[in-house]
Amino acid sequence: MNALAATSRNFRNAARILGLDAKIEKSLLIPFREIKVECTIPKDDGSLVSYVGFRVQHDNARGPMKGGIRYHPEVDPDEVNALAQLMTWKTAVADIPYGGAKGGIGCTPRELSKSELERLTRVFTQKIHDLIGTHTDVPAPDMGTNAQTMAWILDEYSKFHGHSPAVVTGKPIDLGGSLGREAATGRGVVFGTEALLAEYGKSVKDLTFVIQGFGNVGSWAARLIHERGGKVIAVSDITGAIKNPNGIDITELIKYKENTGSLLNFSGGDNMDPNELLVHECDVLIPSALGGVLNRENASSVKAKFIVEAANHPTDPEADEILSKKGVIILPDIYANAGGVTVSYFEWVQNIQGFMWDEEKVNNELQRYMTRAFHNIKNMCKTHECNLRMGAFTLGVNRVARATVLRGWEA
């Protein structure tokens, strides 16, 4: 099942549990605005090339829209729609005053030079500058984009609207980026895991962890779990997978990966089959790479007691049912990876105030938001007698529906 179908299904289940009016349900599913623009740039050799850029703005009932911009060859409109919708529910679950958006350009960033990427980003910004803004829609980095991309958008947007640091988040620190933003998603995953384990009288220190994906999110989650005394016994990324039943030294592994570009043949562990990773014996499994990795083929073989969804949509709905029947507790993506957008919100707040926080304040506030959101989800689970995923979806959808009705959507 693709991302859009899965998100829409979760939304409809939540709407049914909440007893939402059919009219408001339909209104909440339809995006507020979809933008599609042509971006033509000269390549370094002087030839012209055209790309299609777009932005889906899903909902702004609770505040300006927020979401990433990805540069990727297969930017599928359906997927972007799903991710924009998911951002609406995610920001509502975290209780930050935003709605959802998502966008991107269909291109292969690896094949473009830095100056070509800069020209493309600036042309894209010129085409959408009057549709984004500090109080309208605030983009952020996503696949294939980074702090530098945000710096270019900020500069180009500011040519039209004056200096506006809050128009994008995930900026370089020197241009108003927030301390703690880089580690935020991984740190939020760990805070969420701690809140979940505390419910069961457990803590990170006594458990074993398997982490799929060792990019920004996976490596930060691994590092912080390692610091707290948790045993990370297997990790994988696109280059391969390694395991060590006594726990991997994450600090050493990060150094090794920086030097060699790969996890394989690390002296502090043994190479393993990456397909075996998800069904490896452990207490907590953290998929932090791609969507759809837990499916009906492998779900029945999963041995973890807890799954923390650091990636978007790692568990497809069929796997969800199989795992629920087995009694596996799943911490849903819509909550588990909300640390990134929460610290993006802190960055935006700091830019608007023109007053920056130290890193300790950022991390303490993040912990407060993640812990509070977990307890709000648990309350929804008790009220509606549902699992954590539906607890999170009912919490998010209910907040957006209430805001929509209060604003007078029928008038």
Side-chain angles (χ1 to χ4, degrees), residues 110-401:
R110 277 196 322 276
E111 293 169 7
L112 296 169
S113 70
K114 189 172 179 186
S115 61
E116 286 166 344
L117 280 170
E118 178 173 353
R119 288 196 289 276
L120 181 56
T121 303
R122 289 182 183 279
V123 167
F124 183 51
T125 308
Q126 287 165 20
K127 301 271 173 140
I128 65 166
H129 76 88
D130 50 352
L131 299 167
I132 62 172
T134 305
H135 299 290
T136 314
D137 177 3
V138 181
D142 199 312
M143 282 159 60
T145 56
N146 56 26
Q148 177 61 71
T149 321
M150 297 305 108
W152 292 328
I153 295 177
L154 162 65
D155 182 72
E156 197 60 33
Y157 180 88
S158 296
K159 290 175 184 174
F160 294 94
H161 301 274
H163 182 58
S164 320
V167 70
V168 286
T169 59
K171 298 183 292 295
I173 303 292
D174 295 328
L175 289 175
S178 177
L179 296 170
R181 174 68 189 87
E182 202 223 330
T185 311
R187 193 177 292 275
V189 165
V190 175
F191 287 148
T193 305
E194 287 179 320
L196 173 67
L197 294 174
E199 283 284 310
Y200 294 86
K202 297 182 189 323
S203 76
V204 168
K205 190 162 130 321
D206 315 313
L207 303 182
T208 56
F209 294 79
V210 167
I211 300 177
Q212 185 200 35
F214 206 66
N216 173 285
V217 182
S219 62
W220 273 106
R223 185 183 309 196
L224 295 164
I225 286 164
H226 185 67
E227 277 173 19
R228 287 162 166 72
K231 254 206 284 197
V232 180
I233 55 170
V235 297
S236 72
D237 70 357
I238 197 138
T239 63
I242 59 161
K243 64 179 175 184
N244 181 341
N246 302 316
I248 297 165
D249 182 339
I250 297 297
T251 326
E252 286 303 312
L253 180 61
I254 287 170
K255 276 188 210 148
Y256 178 81
K257 188 185 168 181
E258 276 169 7
N259 293 334
T260 65
S262 167
L263 297 177
L264 291 176
N265 307 322
F266 173 62
S267 59
D270 302 315
N271 293 350
M272 67 181 286
D273 175 3
N275 297 322
E276 205 264 297
L277 187 101
L278 293 166
V279 298
H280 198 63
E281 189 77 52
C282 65
D283 296 311
V284 184
L285 171 64
I286 306 182
S288 58
L290 295 168
V293 294
L294 291 166
N295 47 45
R296 63 165 175 238
E297 272 76 54
N298 58 11
S300 53
S301 317
V302 169
K303 300 180 187 68
K305 300 168 196 67
F306 298 95
I307 295 175
V308 177
E309 296 187 333
N312 280 324
H313 286 300
T315 317
D316 78 20
E318 291 167 324
D320 227 355
E321 279 170 30
I322 297 167
L323 291 163
S324 290
K325 286 200 182 87
K326 282 179 64 167
V328 179
I329 309 292
I330 301 178
L331 196 65
D333 53 358
I334 180 180
Y335 162 72
N337 63 30
V341 70
T342 303
V343 175
S344 272
Y345 162 60
F346 299 160
E347 180 180 331
W348 179 78
V349 165
Q350 292 168 76
N351 294 152
I352 287 173
Q353 289 190 328
F355 182 86
M356 304 310 283
W357 304 350
D358 59 30
E359 190 166 354
E360 190 187 6
K361 169 153 173 142
V362 174
N363 292 342
N364 288 342
E365 287 291 323
L366 174 60
Q367 185 165 22
R368 200 166 66 83
Y369 270 76
M370 289 301 291
T371 309
R372 187 178 63 191
F374 182 77
H375 294 301
N376 290 337
I377 291 169
K378 283 302 283 187
N379 289 338
M380 286 306 254
C381 292
K382 289 194 185 95
T383 306
H384 299 293
E385 292 173 354
C386 58
N387 63 14
L388 288 166
R389 190 182 307 281
M390 274 303 112
F393 263 88
T394 50
L395 177 65
V397 170
N398 193 39
R399 279 182 172 150
V400 178

Side-chain angles (χ1 to χ4, degrees), residues 29-167:
L29 265 181
I30 301 169
F32 166 77
R33 175 160 57 196
E34 295 187 38
I35 303 149
K36 201 168 178 186
V37 293
E38 173 233 7
C39 301
T40 300
I41 58 159
K43 294 197 63 162
D44 293 341
D45 64 9
S47 63
L48 285 180
V49 58
S50 293
Y51 300 96
V52 176
F54 51 89
R55 184 83 174 153
V56 173
Q57 299 175 332
H58 178 256
D59 189 276
N60 60 1
R62 296 181 65 257
M65 294 162 290
K66 187 96 194 71
I69 287 185
R70 51 178 55 181
Y71 288 1
H72 193 268
E74 289 121 42
V75 178
D76 167 43
D78 259 7
E79 188 184 20
V80 173
N81 236 311
L83 292 169
Q85 191 195 130
L86 204 64
M87 284 301 292
T88 298
W89 317 132
K90 184 180 294 185
T91 49
V93 168
D95 203 16
I96 51 184
Y98 287 142
K102 203 71 165 187
I105 300 176
C107 67
T108 310
R110 277 196 322 276
E111 293 169 7
L112 296 169
S113 70
K114 189 172 179 186
S115 61
E116 286 166 344
L117 280 170
E118 178 173 353
R119 288 196 289 276
L120 181 56
T121 303
R122 289 182 183 279
V123 167
F124 183 51
T125 308
Q126 287 165 20
K127 301 271 173 140
I128 65 166
H129 76 88
D130 50 352
L131 299 167
I132 62 172
T134 305
H135 299 290
T136 314
D137 177 3
V138 181
D142 199 312
M143 282 159 60
T145 56
N146 56 26
Q148 177 61 71
T149 321
M150 297 305 108
W152 292 328
I153 295 177
L154 162 65
D155 182 72
E156 197 60 33
Y157 180 88
S158 296
K159 290 175 184 174
F160 294 94
H161 301 274
H163 182 58
S164 320
V167 70

